[in-house]
Amino acid sequence: MRDIVGDILYVDLTQRRAWREPVAPDRVIRFLGGRGMNASLLWELCKPGTEPLGPENPLIFGTGLATGTEMPSSGRTTVTCRSPATGWYLKTSAGGHWGGELKYAGYGYLVVTGKSEHPVYLWIHDGEVEFRDARHLWGKDVRETDLAIKREIGDEDIQVAAIGPGGEHLVKFAAVMFSVYNAAARGGAGAVMGSKNLKAIAVRGTGALRAAQPARYHQVARACYESLLADSGTAGLAEYGTSGSLNVVNELRLLPSFNFQRSHLEDAYPLTGQYLVEAGYLKRRVACFACIIGCHRYTQIVRGMHAGTFGGGPEYETLSALGSGCGLLDTEVVIKANELCNLLGLDTISCGSVIQWAMECYEKGLITARDLDGLELHWGNGPAVLEMVRRIAFREGFGDVLAEGVKVAAEKVGGDSYQWAVQAKGLEQSRVDTRSAKAYALAFAVNPRGPDHLHTETFAEFGLSPEARALIRKITGDEKYANPYLTDKRPEIVRWHEDCYAVTDSLGFCAFTTTALYGITPELMAQVFSAATGYEISEEAIMEAGRRIVTLEKCYNVREGATRQDDTLPWRMMNERSPDRPDPNAINSAEELAAMLDRYYALHGWDPKTSWPLRSTLERLGLGDVARELGALGKLPDEREG
Amino acid sequence: MQKVLVIDADRCTGCRQCELVCSYEHEGVYAPTLSRIRLVKFEDRCLNVPVVCGFCDKPPCEDVCPTGAMGQRAGQPYAVVREENCIGCKECVHACPLGAVAMHPRKGVAMRCDLCQGDPACVKVCAPGALRYEPLDAAVRQKRRARVVALGVLRSPEEEEC
């Protein structure tokens, strides 16, 4: 199973040294691959108190177990490190085609530590690693960097992961960009890469991957293929992309608008995937590696003041963060802002979030055009949004304040601005109004990296498809719980999705295939693992591995000092009622959250007072070594017999 | 009627399922470099074009082959590479005007599409429908029709009344 797992490539940029180590089979069985293996590596390599932007913070790239094979939609790469935005655990992942290429070059994992004296890029090809001068690339945007590397090495089939000026300037929400337009966006992994003076990682391989049981693996791939195509949502996702759902989200009063002051807009149509098609901006539908859905977009503006704009996206999150959130319904400005973020290497969610927070500050008079070098940052001012994106990436003027993320920016601006800094744990919330989606609320509160949907996508709670309703019945015993306004059974729904999402990420599958569409079931994933490795695993056992991964990620934060107080939601979600849904329950009150948390910790076997996992829980999951370390630090809760 | 592999590049999303399943069918492993169909990617433009053997009526690869390795196997209707005869001279690679013949990176023999002996695996996994396997006349008919529609000749009855 060595080639399908791939070796670990360690790179020390300080010493300019690279070496490889195989992954122990036992570790594969415990942590599966990708995200799980990364969690295990980070726990081992990132000592408590490591400075996120210091040379010791390991930047870990992990491909999914199935990445590089025909397994549909399994090409994702997970990036893991200590987050410079939050100081907590960070896993962030990207699609594109880089992960498969790393596998063909002989590696499943890349662990980068240290800091180069001057900008470099890594050139990894068929087992070889070269440290190449990148001084001529520093300052170039992501697209220029990608093209320049392909040109100078002389191979157009090279895959590149790169940072843009955002990462170079250590913007706290700088992304690592894969295959030009696929972002490992959240939490500032791009700033960690920039802090190491690492501009890019170019990869090319001619190796071959063989499953332990090739014929069975091929059969499982065919079953996954058929099951995924049969899901009632697949065709729509292919046709209109992620933003095809924006209209539905708007109707459900979930579309964050005007910095979460509104959750519904009368005319959001210009921000929908349907409009991108109808108005002719969509030029091509694009797929990540081995993906049979192909939800990624390629858009282009041909005429007008933004003519010449082209590239990947925009996705739903971007259209909400840089569009509705900023009170902006101008499709072309959002397409342009999306291109800017891609090229500068910024997370569109956080970038849009800090700008809309600043807009609210501007509207309320806490900052003025004088603070902004003349920029009139009122709602819906498109040119001002575009200029702000650029200033953030280069840390010019007020852009330098916003580049620190909304939590730090609110501390600087002061007043009541923390109330509309829609963040928790230091991360800006992703684009769903959790006041009208209670499983999302719980999931966002307990997410170790902060309030977003990318550790636990509980889309099923809306019950929008037969598959979603069937899943809710499977988890709770009754379809009536497919109701986002109920708090009942939300902990059970979150718990199932956490495990499933961890397995999904670890095998390299896209979360759309398991927790937005439902074609790839845990049972199928158990088959994928078994056929790939030759180690037979059941549905229950693979979901338990998912729980092991989720628990280890939690333990990382516990080791760094996290307690129950950190499992919380943004002030606005907890203290202001949603104005667009006249239900008194349209708020994430402290009482409501506390009740869900109690149940959630109980389901996990975590102590309700501290939120720390119990020793018995850790031992049951085979994390006895983790328990010993936490015990030595005094971070195991008291546990009485019986 | 002879069937051909038809490529509709406008529909290609660049997922590489065709390459992966091709390498599996022929070699039992996953490796785009072992695939007989190859994707040409222009990544910054998200443009993807599959390239495969054109099944020429007068195949230059077969004309230049000094050992007869490029050709049909006796009793089989589809072209193959008779690997036991191939000496790895690469004349076929240079002769192919499409870039559809490559060298096997490990065996040192030529590789080209053999249509999976009449049931091409790549077509079956092409979810967006960029690859089709159909009779030549059907392919030409569709292409002709699509071309005429694109010219704007077809108008709705309401439009035509005006």
Side-chain angles (χ1 to χ4, degrees), chain A residues 128-208:
Chain A
E128 304 283 319
V129 184
E130 292 176 35
F131 298 80
R132 290 198 162 206
D133 196 337
R135 277 175 286 206
H136 63 301
L137 300 175
W138 207 252
K140 282 197 193 303
D141 74 32
V142 170
R143 189 154 59 206
E144 291 166 346
T145 303
D146 185 275
L147 290 170
I149 288 175
K150 285 171 176 165
R151 200 164 40 235
E152 72 185 43
I153 296 175
D155 184 347
E156 297 292 331
D157 288 340
I158 287 170
Q159 282 295 320
V160 177
I163 56 168
E168 295 172 11
H169 290 92
L170 309 181
V171 175
K172 294 289 171 63
F173 43 87
V176 182
M177 302 297 297
F178 293 80
S179 313
V180 191
Y181 303 120
N182 296 91
R186 307 238 67 199
V192 174
M193 197 155 148
S195 75
K196 297 184 178 311
N197 268 332
L198 180 58
K199 178 66 179 174
I201 303 158
V203 188
R204 181 85 169 95
T206 60

Side-chain angles (χ1 to χ4, degrees), chain B residues 70-113:
Chain B
M70 302 296 277
Q72 282 168 232
R73 211 177 275 283
Q76 284 184 0
Y78 297 96
V80 293
V81 178
R82 286 191 290 265
E83 294 184 355
E84 65 278 18
N85 291 2
C86 179
I87 56 172
C89 69
K90 307 170 193 63
E91 286 294 328
C92 52
V93 175
H94 299 302
C96 175
L98 306 177
V101 183
M103 294 301 289
H104 193 295
R106 280 175 267 292
K107 290 187 195 160
V109 296
M111 292 194 305
R112 69 170 171 175
C113 175

Side-chain angles (χ1 to χ4, degrees), chain A residues 255-469:
Chain A
L255 182 70
S257 306
F258 295 91
N259 194 30
F260 289 82
Q261 292 185 93
R262 303 280 312 276
S263 56
H264 174 76
L265 291 178
E266 278 63 47
D267 187 16
Y269 189 60
L271 301 178
T272 61
Q274 288 76 1
Y275 185 73
L276 293 178
V277 173
E278 188 188 299
Y281 296 116
L282 181 83
K283 300 298 179 194
R284 282 187 275 281
R285 295 176 174 85
V286 188
C288 296
F289 190 95
C291 182
I292 60 173
I293 306 170
C295 76
H296 194 46
R297 312 280 92 175
Y298 173 79
T299 53
Q300 207 171 328
I301 301 175
V302 180
R303 279 177 289 277
M305 69 179 293
H306 297 301
T309 304
F310 67 97
E315 303 293 335
Y316 163 81
E317 293 284 326
T318 305
L319 285 152
S320 173
L322 290 157
S324 66
C326 296
L328 189 59
L329 290 167
D330 184 330
T331 316
E332 295 199 357
V333 173
V334 181
I335 293 175
K336 182 70 195 174
N338 175 66
E339 186 197 44
L340 272 178
C341 284
N342 282 343
L343 300 189
L344 298 170
L346 298 176
D347 171 20
T348 57
I349 300 176
S350 286
C351 191
S353 299
V354 295
I355 293 173
Q356 60 198 260
W357 169 83
M359 284 175 149
E360 193 168 340
C361 291
Y362 181 87
E363 296 280 354
K364 290 179 172 168
L366 270 77
I367 53 174
T368 65
R370 235 193 3 254
D371 302 311
L372 300 167
D373 300 309
L375 223 51
E376 291 173 5
L377 206 54
H378 52 72
W379 296 121
N381 184 347
V385 168
L386 296 176
E387 174 58 15
M388 214 62 236
V389 171
R390 200 192 59 77
R391 287 186 193 176
I392 288 167
F394 292 97
R395 286 185 175 267
E396 289 174 13
F398 198 71
D400 188 38
V401 176
L402 296 184
E404 287 299 302
V406 80
K407 183 184 177 197
V408 175
E411 286 163 8
K412 286 194 180 141
V413 167
D416 287 340
S417 69
Y418 70 91
Q419 295 180 0
W420 61 87
V422 185
Q423 61 82 26
K425 294 191 177 82
L427 189 80
E428 295 77 15
Q429 175 156 325
S430 67
R431 310 308 297 177
V432 60
D433 193 317
T434 52
R435 291 171 292 196
S436 302
K438 305 299 185 184
Y440 275 83
L442 175 60
F444 281 31
V446 299
N447 185 332
R449 82 175 186 190
D452 73 12
H453 56 296
L454 295 161
H455 272 242
T456 315
E457 175 75 271
T458 51
F459 196 59
E461 75 168 325
F462 299 113
L464 292 175
S465 70
E467 292 87 355
R469 291 190 292 276

Side-chain angles (χ1 to χ4, degrees), chain A residues 68-70 97 104 150 159 181 206-210 214-215 217-218 222 225 284-285 287 290-292 298 310, chain B residues 12-17 20-21 24-25 28-33 41 43-47 106 124-127:
Chain A
T69 75
E70 65 168 314
H97 292 251
Y104 302 138
K150 285 171 176 165
Q159 282 295 320
Y181 303 120
T206 60
L209 310 179
R210 186 187 300 275
Y217 190 84
H218 178 63
R222 305 325 315 146
Y225 186 102
R284 282 187 275 281
R285 295 176 174 85
C291 182
I292 60 173
Y298 173 79
F310 67 97
Chain B
C12 179
T13 60
C15 75
R16 310 180 80 167
Q17 278 281 336
L20 296 165
V21 80
Y24 175 77
E25 288 294 336
V29 295
Y30 301 105
T33 49
K41 291 178 89 70
E43 204 137 52
D44 60 315
R45 305 292 306 281
C46 298
L47 181 66
R106 280 175 267 292
K124 287 185 273 185
V125 299
C126 185

Side-chain angles (χ1 to χ4, degrees), chain A residues 217-238:
Chain A
Y217 190 84
H218 178 63
Q219 270 182 1
V220 175
R222 305 325 315 146
C224 286
Y225 186 102
E226 296 303 332
S227 179
L228 189 52
L229 279 193
D231 189 286
S232 64
T234 299
L237 185 54

Side-chain angles (χ1 to χ4, degrees), chain A residues 232 459-483 518:
Chain A
S232 64
F459 196 59
E461 75 168 325
F462 299 113
L464 292 175
S465 70
E467 292 87 355
R469 291 190 292 276
L471 176 61
I472 294 296
R473 189 179 337 112
K474 176 179 162 160
I475 298 169
T476 66
D478 198 326
E479 247 177 53
K480 73 177 184 198
Y481 294 112
N483 178 346
Y518 303 93

Side-chain angles (χ1 to χ4, degrees), chain A residues 476-537:
Chain A
T476 66
D478 198 326
E479 247 177 53
K480 73 177 184 198
Y481 294 112
N483 178 346
Y485 306 146
L486 297 177
T487 54
D488 206 13
K489 300 289 184 197
R490 298 310 101 172
E492 284 80 356
I493 293 169
V494 169
R495 281 294 311 111
W496 187 92
H497 281 83
E498 279 184 330
D499 295 347
C500 182
Y501 207 124
V503 176
T504 302
D505 274 342
S506 299
L507 300 190
F509 281 113
C510 172
F512 288 147
T513 68
T514 61
T515 59
L517 311 171
Y518 303 93
I520 311 294
T521 59
E523 199 227 324
L524 279 170
M525 291 197 284
Q527 292 283 333
V528 171
F529 185 90
S530 302
T533 63
Y535 177 86
E536 208 59 40
I537 195 168

